[in-house]
Amino acid sequence: MLEMTREEFEELVAEALDRIPPELTRLMDNVAVFVEDEPPADDPELLGLYEGTPLTDRGEWYAGVLPDRITIYRNPTLRMCESREDVVAETEVTVVHEIAHHFGIDDERLHALGYG
């Protein structure tokens, strides 16, 4: 497994977020991004997870709710990558993938777009 501190990995996630076009980040609403070391035990290879209500599913009822949560998992990413460059690329793909879920894009479409 590659070695990378939590702080270094968090910086990669922040850089990936910074590369999201501003016209999209302005549309993001009530969402927080976190980094965790390990995913849930029932899915040990999970790289990222979106939990919340996609923008496309929100209606008049959507008020006063906790933020959607995007979690990026450090250790599975480090286990699957062979170099720092691989980690940078995989982190960017994972961040884009989870943000796309916030916008209501499903896994099938993401895979077709190369963000699977």
Side-chain angles (χ1 to χ4, degrees):
M1 182 165 103
L2 281 175
E3 294 293 322
M4 181 178 288
T5 67
R6 173 91 176 244
E7 292 77 20
E8 289 173 308
F9 189 79
E10 287 174 350
E11 183 62 32
L12 292 181
V13 171
E15 290 169 4
L17 287 167
D18 288 344
R19 286 191 287 278
I20 302 294
E23 55 271 16
L24 290 180
T25 57
R26 279 193 293 272
L27 297 173
M28 292 174 64
D29 181 47
N30 200 31
V31 62
V33 178
F34 299 91
V35 170
E36 297 289 341
D37 288 334
E38 293 291 344
D42 64 338
D43 199 354
E45 299 307 312
L46 186 65
L47 303 180
L49 180 64
Y50 170 75
E51 299 170 284
T53 304
L55 295 174
T56 54
D57 293 344
R58 296 179 185 180
E60 296 172 8
W61 60 268
Y62 188 85
V65 299
L66 292 173
D68 290 3
R69 180 181 177 102
I70 291 174
T71 307
I72 308 298
Y73 298 106
R74 181 174 72 102
N75 288 338
T77 305
L78 296 178
R79 285 192 292 268
M80 74 174 287
C81 293
E82 295 181 10
S83 68
R84 181 176 174 82
E85 293 76 25
D86 290 344
V87 174
V88 170
E90 191 59 51
T91 301
E92 186 164 327
V93 167
T94 303
V95 167
V96 169
H97 181 106
E98 301 311 328
I99 288 173
H101 286 319
H102 176 68
F103 284 101
I105 302 171
D106 65 18
D107 281 331
E108 183 178 331
R109 181 70 177 134
L110 286 168
H111 285 273
L113 293 170
Y115 289 96

